[in-house]
């Protein structure tokens, strides 16, 4: 007599699991077709591994000063040479990945959380709330991002934490606008009206039905914005308003070697190339995610 009950309880999760597996499999197949996206993903993965295992991978202490060996060109002992204080450039680049990726990810995450909340509230409730939130976003978008970040860091002070706050601040309107537009489209669907008619609360509709349907553009924008955040953080450090010495950071390394461009170009060349490669990696991966998550690409 218990056999029908056993069949009923076991088939539901199996079907749900198989459906999830099929969706992820289809997403991976679409992503795998984009070779540039795979290259970008590989670049990002390599730098993430370097950042996590920096103490094990870096050949030298990035803060170790060795003046007799200053400004050495690339050699077997120092693959990328040394800076004007004799510090190994390769080791500083590897440890610098920790700072740059941390700033990029945390600032994007903070900006996305606030921006997504504002965007959903504006799109769902509309009217006066929508107007106030969007005018606030318009004010922020009226300023170039780097100038707004400069102003915020100048007020708060030069530090890695303040750089994260500054970059996250001008990420808010970008995420808010994207999510607002997606929310306006989703809330007009008939099943949302049906759920509301059944007595579901606004919070349940927003977090259980609208938010999952607007995640795709959020994921894509987050991946692309990390690249922009890394460039901005490097620019602030180049100007002396970001991560402070002796902590290795790519923008600060560019600043330290700017007066040595002619005599020792390797001091600035390698940090610049590193920033370029990471930004390209995130952009390629973000473009691939956008194509893979595009509903029109689904069969």
């Amino acid at each position: 007599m218990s056999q029908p009950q056993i069949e009923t309880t076991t088939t539901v999760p199996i079907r749900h699991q198989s459906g999830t597996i099929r969706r992820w499999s289809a997403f991976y197949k679409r992503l795998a077709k984009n070779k540039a996206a795979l290259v970008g993903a590989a670049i990002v993965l390599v730098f993430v591994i370097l950042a996590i295992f920096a103490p094990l991978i870096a050949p030298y202490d990035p803060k170790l000063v060795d003046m007799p060996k200053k400004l050495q060109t690339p050699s077997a002992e120092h693959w990328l040479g040394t800076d004007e204080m004799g510090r190994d450039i390769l080791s500083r680049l590897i440890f610098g990945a920790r700072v740059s990726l941390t700033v990029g990810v945390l600032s994007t995450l903070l900006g996305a959380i606030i921006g997504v909340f504002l965007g959903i509230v504006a799109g769902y409730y509309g009217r006066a709330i929508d107007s106030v939130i969007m005018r606030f976003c318009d004010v922020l978008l009226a300023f170039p991002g780097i100038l707004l970040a400069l102003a915020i860091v100048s007020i708060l002070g030069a530090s890695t934490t303040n750089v994260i706050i500054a970059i996250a601040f001008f990420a808010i309107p970008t995420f808010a606008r994207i999510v607002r537009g997606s929310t306006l489209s989703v809330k007009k669907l008939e099943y949302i009206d049906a759920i509301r008619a059944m007595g579901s609360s606004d919070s349940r509709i927003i977090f259980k039905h609208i938010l999952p349907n607007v995640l795709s553009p959020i994921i894509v924008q987050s991946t692309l914005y990390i690249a922009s955040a890394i460039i901005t953080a490097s620019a602030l450090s180049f100007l002396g308003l970001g991560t402070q010495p002796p902590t290795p950071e790519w923008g600060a390394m560019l600043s330290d070697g700017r007066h040595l461009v002619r005599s020792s170009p390797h001091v600035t060349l390698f940090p610049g190339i590193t920033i370029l490669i990471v930004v390209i990696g995130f952009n390629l991966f973000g473009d691939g995610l956008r194509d893979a998550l595009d509903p029109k690409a689904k069969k």
Side-chain angles (χ1 to χ4, degrees):
M1 295 177 63
S2 60
Q3 186 65 26
Q5 297 178 354
I6 296 176
E7 292 180 354
T8 302
T9 56
T10 55
T11 54
V12 174
I14 291 176
R15 290 177 182 175
H16 176 74
Q17 183 180 12
S18 62
T20 303
I21 293 175
R22 283 197 299 269
R23 287 194 296 271
W24 279 105
S25 177
F27 165 76
Y28 176 77
K29 288 179 180 178
R30 290 193 298 271
L31 184 63
K33 292 179 181 179
N34 192 330
K35 303 303 180 184
L38 295 182
V39 172
I43 292 174
V44 172
L45 180 61
V46 167
F47 278 92
V48 169
I49 292 175
L50 289 176
I52 295 175
F53 299 102
L56 301 177
I57 298 175
Y60 297 94
D61 183 345
K63 300 179 182 180
L64 179 63
V65 176
D66 191 358
M67 296 303 293
K69 296 183 179 180
K70 68 177 183 178
L71 299 179
Q72 288 188 356
T73 56
S75 62
E77 183 180 4
H78 297 281
W79 289 4
L80 301 184
T82 60
D83 62 10
E84 61 181 346
M85 299 185 70
R87 297 172 298 192
D88 183 66
I89 293 178
L90 176 59
S91 299
R92 292 182 62 78
L93 288 176
I94 293 174
F95 274 87
R98 283 185 162 186
V99 178
S100 296
L101 292 181
T102 299
V103 171
V105 172
L106 290 183
S107 61
T108 301
L109 181 61
L110 180 59
I113 291 174
I114 300 175
V116 168
F117 173 77
L118 294 178
I120 288 184
V121 170
Y124 185 80
Y125 291 103
R127 299 184 180 181
I129 296 178
D130 183 25
S131 297
V132 171
I133 293 177
M134 287 300 101
R135 296 302 75 77
F136 168 73
C137 293
D138 290 341
V139 171
L140 293 182
L141 290 173
F143 299 92
I146 186 64
L147 292 182
L148 185 60
L150 279 171
I152 295 174
V153 174
S154 298
I155 295 173
L156 298 179
S159 69
T160 303
T161 301
N162 292 338
V163 168
I164 293 174
I165 296 173
I167 298 175
F169 195 73
F170 70 80
I172 293 174
T174 302
F175 284 98
R177 281 186 168 275
I178 292 174
V179 174
R180 173 185 177 270
S182 300
T183 302
L184 288 173
S185 299
V186 174
K187 81 170 187 176
K188 294 179 181 178
L189 299 177
E190 294 182 355
Y191 87 94
I192 297 294
D193 294 332
I195 294 171
R196 187 182 295 109
M198 294 173 61
S200 293
S201 62
D202 289 343
S203 60
R204 180 178 177 84
I205 294 174
I206 289 174
F207 291 105
K208 187 173 181 180
H209 299 285
I210 293 182
L211 182 58
N213 284 285
V214 301
L215 281 179
S216 295
I218 295 173
I219 294 173
V220 174
Q221 181 61 30
S222 297
T223 306
L224 295 173
Y225 193 82
I226 291 175
S228 177
I230 291 175
I231 293 178
T232 304
S234 298
L236 292 174
S237 295
F238 182 86
L239 297 173
L241 296 174
T243 303
Q244 297 300 298
T247 303
E249 199 277 337
W250 297 338
M253 293 174 67
L254 281 173
S255 179
D256 292 340
R258 67 183 184 275
H259 61 285
L260 301 169
V261 173
R262 292 187 178 181
S263 60
S264 301
H266 67 280
V267 178
T268 55
L269 177 63
F270 294 119
I273 291 176
T274 302
I275 295 173
L276 176 65
I277 292 174
V278 172
V279 170
I280 290 176
F282 274 105
N283 284 331
L284 290 176
F285 185 49
D287 288 338
L289 284 178
R290 179 176 56 195
D291 295 337
L293 294 172
D294 185 2
K296 296 180 181 179
K298 297 179 181 179
K299 297 182 179 180

